[in-house]
């Protein structure tokens, strides 16, 4: 109900971190879009901020991926950002090409490292693409192999 959502939104600002986290968790299951608000994404408590970042995985859009990529550098959030983008790519594989293009366009070694970790979760996608001999996918497979971060 709208009243429950309103109550949970109020509880996210509770001084009791336990109550705030429970409210964030409840919102993340059925109302994840509420957590996409800037006040959650930039919350001073890492637990709330990271839960909000993870909830963004429920919004599978290219602009949301770009928003998440812009959050790299946020203290204690890197692994949550990687996880959220990885989940989006599992749900929306057509967005992998967008991340591949960013990988190829960036000169930032930290961003490239994070993108490699994200893309290494989709190795089967790249193997399929290399069968078609698309060079940009072969390059990523080589980079993943070089960094040895693929999951086994």
């Amino acid at each position: 109900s709208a009243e429950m959502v309103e109550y949970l939104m109020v509880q996210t600002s509770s001084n009791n971190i336990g109550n705030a986290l429970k409210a964030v968790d409840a919102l993340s299951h059925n109302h994840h879009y509420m957590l996409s608000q800037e006040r959650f994404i930039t919350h001073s408590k890492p637990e709330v901020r990271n839960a909000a970042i993870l909830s963004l995985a429920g919004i599978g859009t290219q602009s949301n991926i770009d928003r998440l990529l812009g959050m790299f550098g946020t203290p204690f959030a890197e692994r949550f950002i990687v996880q959220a983008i990885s989940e989006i790519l599992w749900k929306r594989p057509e967005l992998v090409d967008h991340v591949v293009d960013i990988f190829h366009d960036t000169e930032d070694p930290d961003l490239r490292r994070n993108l490699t970790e994200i893309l290494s979760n989709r190795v089967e996608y790249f193997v399929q693409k290399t069968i078609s001999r698309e060079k940009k996918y072969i390059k990523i497979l080589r980079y993943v192999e070089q960094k040895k971060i693929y999951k086994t």
Side-chain angles (χ1 to χ4, degrees), residues 22-40:
K22 287 177 185 174
V24 167
D25 182 59
L27 288 168
S28 72
H29 293 293
N30 296 310
H31 303 282
H32 56 269
Y33 58 90
M34 300 294 285
L35 297 176
S36 68
Q37 297 175 23
E38 201 62 26
R39 71 182 177 124
F40 295 113

Side-chain angles (χ1 to χ4, degrees), residues 15-148:
N15 289 330
N16 179 324
I17 189 65
N19 288 346
L21 285 174
K22 287 177 185 174
V24 167
D25 182 59
L27 288 168
S28 72
H29 293 293
N30 296 310
H31 303 282
H32 56 269
Y33 58 90
M34 300 294 285
L35 297 176
S36 68
Q37 297 175 23
E38 201 62 26
R39 71 182 177 124
F40 295 113
I41 300 301
T42 60
H43 201 280
S44 62
K45 300 245 186 275
E47 300 92 340
V48 172
R49 182 182 62 237
N50 293 336
I53 289 170
L54 284 176
S55 76
L56 292 176
I59 305 170
T61 63
Q62 181 174 316
S63 62
N64 197 43
I65 288 174
D66 293 340
R67 182 179 184 196
L68 284 160
L69 289 173
M71 293 179 196
F72 279 123
T74 303
F76 310 109
E78 190 171 283
R79 72 182 178 99
F80 298 97
I81 297 166
V82 167
Q83 183 179 342
I85 296 172
S86 295
E87 287 181 28
I88 290 170
L89 296 182
W90 273 109
K91 294 173 192 170
R92 302 272 320 274
E94 68 273 16
L95 295 174
V96 172
D97 285 340
H98 176 65
V99 177
V100 167
D101 291 340
I102 294 169
F103 174 89
H104 284 290
D105 292 343
T106 189
E107 298 293 326
D108 179 344
D110 291 330
L111 179 57
R112 186 167 272 213
R113 179 182 46 79
N114 286 314
L115 291 172
T116 301
E117 185 171 347
I118 292 164
L119 293 171
S120 71
N121 293 318
R122 296 306 315 259
V123 168
E124 84 291 342
Y125 178 88
F126 297 110
V127 169
Q128 189 176 50
K129 288 291 192 176
T130 57
I131 292 170
S132 68
R133 310 297 261 163
E134 293 184 50
K135 290 181 181 174
K136 68 181 182 178
Y137 300 103
I138 295 169
K139 181 178 178 183
I140 288 185
L141 277 176
R142 288 184 182 141
Y143 194 83
V144 167
E145 173 62 24
Q146 177 187 12
K147 298 299 179 185
K148 303 257 191 275

